Amino acid sequence: MTESHDMIVIKDLYKHFDSIKALNGVNLTVKKGKVIVVIGPSGSGKSTMLRCINHLEVPTSGEVWIDGKHLGKKEKELNAIRAEVGMVFQLFNLFPHLTALENVTVAQKVVRGRSKEEAEEIAMKQLIRVGIPEKADAYPTNLSGGQQQRVAIARSLAMNPKIMLFDEPTSALDPEMIKEVLDVMLDLAKEGMTMVVVTHEMGFARSAADEVLFMDEGLIVEHTTPHDLYNNPKEERTKLFLSQILQH
Amino acid sequence: MDNSLPVSDEKASMQLKDISWWFLGLVLIFVWAIYIFLTKENYQEAFNFIKIGIQITIKTSLIAYVFALMLGLLAGLGRISKNLFFNNLSRLYVELIRGIPMLVLIFFIALVGVPMLVDGINALGVWLTTIGLASIGETLSGFGNKAFTMNGRAIFALSITYGAFLAEIFRAGIQSIGRGQMEAGRSLGMSYGQTMRHIILPQAVRNVLPALGNDFVAMVKDSSLVSVLAVRDITQVSRLYAGSTFRFREAYVTVSIMYLTITVVLSLLVQVMERRLRKHD
Ligand SMILES: Nc1ncnc2c1ncn2[C@@H]1O[C@H](COP(=O)(O)OP(=O)(O)OP(=O)(O)O)[C@@H](O)[C@H]1O
Ligand SMILES: [Mg+2]
């Protein structure tokens, strides 16, 4: 595998929910090890694009390849591909009936067929990596938002994903917890993980992103480096959007 | 002018209101029952006669409930399934059962459904024999209606009936779990079934445990309907006792106390469970 190997390829992606046109022809190629930040106004299709990448949402039309594998209709193949694509949600979506450790082991055992011991060993390594091994036996309700999100990241990482997708991972967090989650994500980026991150955290985009996408009305309107996008956006819509988020 | 008086008055009336008079009433009924069973010969005789039905009542309820749980889980999953056939079949099942009185259902399933099933099994046996599987075929075609005892049919009928009620409980439980749970499971590569089993159902079942418990209590009571099939549960035995001795009062007081004892104990257990579950939330 070379550096320029394509990890995600999206071609002519459309997603319509009845009359709502969430995606209207998205094309994107993400090279291995790249970090892509996605920004755009509410309802512009950012989440939908992310969810189409692992076919959590089945596209209306268009094609997706993950590491060269085409995503088709067969459930078994889709499950296998999804296991390779980690996803982190805005509201964490931890499993509340399981401890932090069990949250990280369950899919390893069920999907990867790992033994309890092996899964727990890997889970502990991931919990150490995200900085909360001491919370292994805590239930999600007893964890802060930041801790929950870090467990969610560990849960995805334990599957040894090739790609990590983040959908506004810090926007449900209190300000003092945002940094602890972003730090974990920065480490991941440095280690060479291929990442697509929907976030309005400009600091993260500037320090970790290789490319930034601006989406509007289900289309990628601008696709460039963080520096160019934030400093001299070309499109009017991008300028308007940036001026709005910078005010806040 | 003086604030303290009305306040204390209110307190006194609050305390009266706080006493669970209904519970005291229940306790009194039980005390009275124990008294008459210990002192009155007529009641002792009735009790000793009717208690032979307790085993059937409990066995019928328990076995039927276990089958109803399995059927209910299956149909509950069907109700939310994307598979159109499975979904519609489950819906049809639930609607049919809910639209027919339980007494009629019990007659129907036991006296019409089971014979139809036997005919079906026989036909299958004949067909298997003609295609050369004589060994299985002949046992199946030899099946008679007698192979199904009335006790078995009663359990069958109760299971099918309560399966539909429990299906709605399971469905509601599953639907009470946020859709983010399924998405998180699927995004980790787990299949729909695996996510259901390891993520959704454990949470859903926990949420509906009290409802499931209450339906078990209801089923114990409804098991009395199987007396119409001459199954010797406590209702049937008490009818027999009343019919042969004309001691209606003794017979129906005794059987009522028996049901009340079982259901009150079970309901208290459900309440304890409910409180425990709430504490853990
Ligand atoms: N499951 C769904 N059913 C119907 N409409 C949907 C569904 N998911 C998304 N949409 C619609 O698709 C459009 C794009 O939604 P999407 O969630 O992708 O936007 P977004 O850019 O992530 O917005 P936000 O910043 O608010 O998260 C919106 O109009 C939304 O209402
Ligand atoms: Mg979104």
Side-chain angles (χ1 to χ4, degrees), chain A residues 51 54 56-57 75 79 82-83 85 87 89 93-98 106-107 110-111 155-156 159, chain B residues 179-192 194-195 198-200 202-203 206 280-281:
Chain A
R51 297 153 58 82
N54 63 0
L56 215 50
E57 210 75 77
E75 277 295 316
N79 290 338
R82 286 201 192 102
V85 182
M87 188 162 211
F89 303 86
N93 293 349
L94 286 186
F95 308 132
H97 63 302
L98 301 177
V106 59
V110 172
V111 179
R155 176 174 73 176
S156 287
M159 302 299 286
Chain B
R179 93 184 196 153
Q181 294 288 304
M182 178 56 81
E183 292 183 347
R186 299 307 304 272
S187 79
L188 291 163
M190 289 197 263
S191 67
Y192 178 86
Q194 288 168 336
T195 311
H198 296 280
I199 308 302
I200 311 290
Q203 299 179 57
R206 185 177 177 280
H280 282 276
D281 277 339

Side-chain angles (χ1 to χ4, degrees), chain B residues 6-28:
Chain B
V7 168
S8 66
D9 244 347
E10 196 180 305
K11 247 189 192 164
S13 68
M14 276 287 286
Q15 280 166 350
L16 270 184
K17 260 195 279 174
D18 284 347
I19 294 174
S20 304
W21 295 103
W22 62 270
F23 192 76
L24 210 64
L26 266 182
V27 171
L28 279 178

Side-chain angles (χ1 to χ4, degrees), chain B residues 50 53-54 57 232-239 255 258-259:
Chain B
I50 295 170
I54 291 179
T57 290
R232 291 173 159 255
D233 73 326
I234 52 178
T235 303
Q236 175 65 1
V237 179
S238 61
R239 276 172 65 196
V255 73
M258 284 178 180
Y259 277 118

Side-chain angles (χ1 to χ4, degrees), chain A residues 17 20 22 40-49 57 167-168, chain B residues 179:
Chain A
F17 300 99
I20 300 169
S42 179
S44 58
K46 307 180 295 294
S47 298
T48 306
M49 180 180 80
E57 210 75 77
D167 193 357
E168 306 202 36
Chain B
R179 93 184 196 153

